[in-house]
Amino acid sequence: MAGSYRKIDYRVRPAKSIERKMLAESFRRLNHFHEVNSYTYIGMGSLYFADFSLFHRSLGFDRMISIENTAAEANQKRFTLNIPFSQIEMQFGHSNAVLQKLDLTDPLVVWLDYDGLLDASCIADLKYVAKRAPSGSLLLVSANADAKSLEISDDDPDAPKGVLAVLKSLVGNDAVSPAIQAGDLSGNGVGGVFRDIIDNSINDAIRNRNTEVAGEEAFVYQQLYNFRYQDNARMITVGGMIFSESDRDKFARSSFDQLSFIKQGSDAYFIDPPLLTFSEMRRIDAAKEDDLPNLAVPTKDIERYKSTYRYFPNFVEAEVT
């Protein structure tokens, strides 16, 4: 259910790792609402728990919950075996059911990191959390946004015909704007459509929540993240902060918009790291600005690296004999 592991070769293009480090940097600004280590982190860690490890080490999250949709005892034992810290609590079952069992009264960082396409089940999770998360919480969702994933073989006579029909079958007719056409669901267009569906779904939940409160107690959703990157497929991560009107000044002091990767609208931040070897990265790090053009590395890759090097994961090279 969570993000998948990908073997790293001699060329490093770690988009997912860069995303995690960017998120960690932004999460530090939560201390304008609450102490960062007081937040409960809810995610989908897979067997590798990469986000859990990073967030625990760099942010001190003390309570962490990983959701995995498996009922097989052997699988559950393997997940439990791979838990890196005692603070991580495993919850097995479908996220729709697990989230309803959790105590959501403490400040939350919820990252619903789905492997598959956005669907009605994902939207149900988003709406459930958005209606209950306390002020100062973050809610994010990642999903496959590859146009090829919307294609269904014509060999299945019962399958919906065309990418638009497939999308509606996944998320429901009501979630898809009448303005969306099949031509919008190609290339990066799928990510844009998914972003709008996520944004509308969270805001619908906030509007429903506000039927019971008003004034300073009313809630606001502000998008902060609109990442696009290429993993095994085109992926998106979209989300932001839920806070009450009474905490609007805390949100302003958090200054999320000072971070270059924060996107509060439909414009996306494309994580497009270069394909470089370890040796090339070291030489770029050591070179003076005037010497960079003399390196035998494409200029566009140097520029890509310079824009993301702070977020590159640390690797150790080893020779295998």
Side-chain angles (χ1 to χ4, degrees), residues 53-204:
S53 295
L54 174 64
F55 298 157
H56 177 67
R57 291 181 186 279
S58 63
L59 301 166
F61 286 159
D62 194 45
R63 184 177 182 230
M64 310 180 82
I65 300 169
S66 182
I67 301 173
E68 290 297 337
N69 186 20
T70 180
E73 184 178 354
N75 291 339
Q76 292 183 5
K77 286 183 177 179
R78 191 177 181 198
F79 278 109
T80 303
L81 175 68
N82 282 280
I83 292 175
F85 301 106
S86 61
Q87 288 86 352
I88 299 174
E89 169 191 336
M90 290 301 309
Q91 287 285 343
F92 296 109
H94 195 284
S95 54
N96 286 173
V98 170
L99 286 170
Q100 294 186 38
K101 296 190 300 182
L102 299 180
D103 179 4
L104 303 182
T105 56
D106 290 335
L108 302 171
V109 174
V110 181
W111 186 5
L112 302 172
D113 190 3
Y114 305 108
D115 279 339
L117 291 162
L118 191 70
D119 62 17
S121 173
C122 304
I123 292 172
D125 286 343
L126 286 171
K127 289 187 173 183
Y128 185 83
V129 175
K131 289 180 69 174
R132 291 161 178 81
S135 182
S137 295
L138 284 174
L139 173 58
L140 306 89
V141 58
S142 295
N144 179 323
D146 202 307
K148 292 181 180 178
S149 299
L150 289 173
E151 298 174 358
I152 293 181
S153 172
D154 292 335
D155 295 337
D156 184 354
D158 298 323
K161 304 303 180 185
V163 291
L164 184 56
V166 172
L167 175 64
K168 291 180 178 179
S169 72
L170 286 168
V171 300
N173 289 335
D174 292 343
V176 181
S177 167
I180 299 300
Q181 303 295 319
D184 299 320
L185 298 171
S186 62
N188 289 315
V190 177
V193 172
F194 279 9
R195 177 263 165 195
D196 291 345
I197 292 173
I198 293 167
D199 188 72
N200 290 337
S201 298
I202 296 175
N203 278 304
D204 281 347

Side-chain angles (χ1 to χ4, degrees), residues 180-249:
I180 299 300
Q181 303 295 319
D184 299 320
L185 298 171
S186 62
N188 289 315
V190 177
V193 172
F194 279 9
R195 177 263 165 195
D196 291 345
I197 292 173
I198 293 167
D199 188 72
N200 290 337
S201 298
I202 296 175
N203 278 304
D204 281 347
I206 296 296
R207 282 191 289 270
N208 289 335
R209 185 173 188 171
N210 286 340
T211 60
E212 301 175 3
V213 293
E216 291 290 286
E217 296 182 353
F219 278 79
V220 176
Y221 165 68
Q222 177 59 63
Q223 179 188 296
L224 297 173
Y225 312 106
N226 188 8
F227 289 120
R228 311 283 176 83
Y229 58 94
Q230 182 80 30
D231 200 7
N232 294 323
R234 293 178 192 262
M235 301 292 292
I236 63 163
T237 297
V238 177
M241 174 155 274
I242 295 169
F243 57 93
S244 63
E245 287 287 358
S246 61
D247 284 338
R248 189 175 284 276
D249 61 327

Side-chain angles (χ1 to χ4, degrees), residues 234-295:
R234 293 178 192 262
M235 301 292 292
I236 63 163
T237 297
V238 177
M241 174 155 274
I242 295 169
F243 57 93
S244 63
E245 287 287 358
S246 61
D247 284 338
R248 189 175 284 276
D249 61 327
K250 295 179 182 178
F251 178 77
R253 290 200 301 272
S254 299
S255 301
F256 284 99
D257 57 356
Q258 291 182 358
L259 298 171
S260 62
F261 51 83
I262 293 298
K263 295 293 183 181
Q264 298 184 335
S266 59
D267 290 342
Y269 184 94
F270 288 88
I271 301 176
D272 188 23
L275 283 168
L276 296 172
T277 66
F278 297 105
S279 179
E280 288 167 344
M281 287 189 285
R282 285 196 296 267
R283 281 165 172 75
I284 295 171
D285 289 338
K288 295 180 180 180
E289 189 70 25
D290 292 344
D291 294 333
L292 288 173
N294 298 323
L295 296 179

